[in-house]
Amino acid sequence: MTYKAEYIWIDGTEPTAKLRSKTKVLADGAEPPLWGFDGSSTNQATGHSSDLVLKPVFTCPDPIRGGDDVLVMCEVLHTDMTPHATNTRSLLAGVAERFADQESWFGIEQEYTFFKDSRPLGFPLGGFPAPQGGYYCGVGADEVFGRDIVELHLDRCLAAGLKISGINAEVMPGQWEFQVGPAGPLEVSDHMWVARWLLYRTAEEFDVAATLDPKPVKGDWNGAGAHTNFSTKAMREGYDPIITACEALAGNAMEHVKNYGHGIEDRLTGHHETARWDKFSYGVSDRGASVRIPWQVEVDKKGYIEDRRPNANVDPYVVTRLIVDTCCAALAKAGQV
């Protein structure tokens, strides 16, 4: 007896990396082993030294093939078993371990846009739909486009055991969101990358493309983000650590923004529920701030914060690493752990 393992990894495409995958047939009961690939075909190596290694780090049921088949998220290594430059997960692992005692939780809101025939799904040929307003969480064939894909994607994420926690239609036709979390930094990132792979693979069956472009349509349309919700044990128990985390993010604002996804200046304009990319702010219930403190958090004097700056195309391993490193270091320094 055999089963199929779909090995998934992040390539070296710039400025925004892509997902790649290929299938290995394994004997029943065998664990997915190290495998290899041609890095010269994925922008990760040159032709004269192209062998790279796939190291399985997260495995879940394959909801598309079913049965005993699995999806295998992998890190990319050199043949000497050191992390490749594109291996952002290995950097996160070290930071997550260093601050593990603070028990960081994340919830990431992944926005994305369906495209068909070079235009957003639901956009008429040669024109534009009605202005945004009725599409957000909308109902009806005149306002919602691609729900069959979205529902199938949700079912597949659940069948895979991913920590997906919700979906909703967004403010532009063909634009949607799913949320992953709460979970620790490594878990939420692994699950997000596999959920993205399942999104692309599911949309493929409908001859539709899903894009994480942060500004898929120019003009008076919202962009696409990956709002990142964050808390530590201390933040979930008190309000002072929440302010400490916000102030820490303010002090390291530009380091975060430059790593929050390509094209961030196009999306963070100060309009369409964003703060300008070069001006940091935080506030209660303020969706025009860089970081929002939910109103209930202020009432309860404990909870979490929402970093609204990350683009839809952000690398989850990068955004979680930066937030943990910045906030947890500040909380430790303040003795708020």
Side-chain angles (χ1 to χ4, degrees):
M1 297 293 291
T2 60
Y3 74 97
K4 288 171 277 189
E6 189 72 15
Y7 279 59
I8 302 167
W9 73 97
I10 302 164
D11 76 359
T13 300
E14 295 181 345
T16 301
K18 297 181 179 181
L19 283 170
R20 307 280 183 139
S21 71
K22 62 176 183 171
T23 307
K24 189 173 186 65
V25 178
L26 296 168
D28 188 36
E31 291 295 319
L34 295 176
W35 202 14
F37 70 99
D38 171 17
S40 68
S41 297
T42 62
N43 304 302
Q44 290 169 295
T46 57
H48 69 274
S49 181
S50 64
D51 286 339
L52 291 175
V53 177
L54 294 173
K55 174 188 174 184
V57 292
F58 170 66
T59 302
C60 66
D62 184 342
I64 298 175
R65 287 173 169 152
D68 293 329
D69 298 332
V70 296
L71 304 178
V72 185
M73 190 68 205
C74 300
E75 288 188 10
V76 176
L77 308 177
H78 293 287
T79 53
D80 64 1
M81 300 299 121
T82 58
H84 189 270
T86 59
N87 184 347
T88 53
R89 188 184 190 276
S90 66
L91 296 175
L92 168 60
V95 172
E97 182 179 2
R98 190 161 76 249
F99 294 107
D101 62 326
Q102 294 196 38
E103 300 179 24
S104 296
W105 290 356
F106 285 90
I108 302 178
E109 305 170 25
Q110 178 68 73
E111 295 178 342
Y112 60 92
T113 309
F114 287 134
F115 268 72
K116 188 174 178 66
D117 300 327
S118 301
R119 63 184 186 276
L121 196 64
F123 272 51
L125 182 64
F128 288 88
Q132 64 183 39
Y135 307 109
Y136 174 71
C137 296
V139 178
D142 57 337
E143 293 186 339
V144 175
F145 306 91
R147 193 186 295 277
D148 47 355
I149 310 173
V150 171
E151 292 289 344
L152 181 55
H153 173 251
L154 174 60
D155 288 344
R156 285 176 168 177
C157 286
L158 291 170
L162 304 182
K163 286 193 172 179
I164 190 165
S165 50
I167 58 172
N168 61 268
E170 270 299 334
V171 299
M172 189 177 77
Q175 192 176 64
W176 291 82
E177 175 186 298
F178 65 87
Q179 303 94 35
V180 174
L186 281 168
E187 184 178 35
V188 78
S189 301
D190 289 340
H191 287 214
M192 178 59 76
W193 274 115
V194 173
R196 285 177 173 180
W197 185 89
L198 282 170
L199 175 66
Y200 301 144
R201 180 64 180 76
T202 300
E204 177 186 315
E205 296 174 14
F206 294 80
D207 196 26
V208 168
T211 177
L212 305 185
D213 190 317
K215 195 68 175 179
V217 178
K218 307 302 180 185
D220 193 20
W221 299 96
N222 280 27
H227 301 156
T228 301
N229 301 281
F230 168 74
S231 69
T232 65
K233 185 175 185 292
M235 293 166 68
R236 294 188 292 273
E237 295 175 350
Y239 198 70
D240 287 346
I242 287 171
I243 300 303
T244 298
C246 290
E247 290 292 340
L249 290 170
N252 204 24
M254 294 312 299
E255 175 67 17
H256 284 242
V257 163
K258 73 180 184 181
N259 290 288
Y260 273 7
H262 178 70
I264 203 159
E265 299 93 339
D266 295 331
R267 176 177 151 265
L268 297 186
T269 61
H271 303 288
H272 302 111
E273 299 183 346
T274 69
R276 278 185 56 87
W277 66 273
D278 56 351
K279 294 183 179 180
F280 183 89
S281 60
Y282 68 89
V284 175
S285 198
D286 186 357
R287 282 180 165 78
S290 308
V291 172
R292 179 179 68 95
I293 301 172
W295 71 270
Q296 192 66 48
V297 171
E298 185 186 44
V299 170
D300 295 342
K301 298 302 178 186
K302 60 182 180 180
Y304 67 98
I305 58 175
E306 176 195 40
D307 192 336
R308 297 180 57 78
R309 296 170 296 168
N311 272 352
N313 59 358
V314 75
D315 181 344
Y317 296 131
V318 172
V319 68
T320 55
R321 173 177 58 82
L322 287 170
I323 291 176
V324 168
D325 207 8
T326 294
C327 295
C328 290
L331 289 166
K333 184 176 180 180
Q336 296 171 331
V337 296

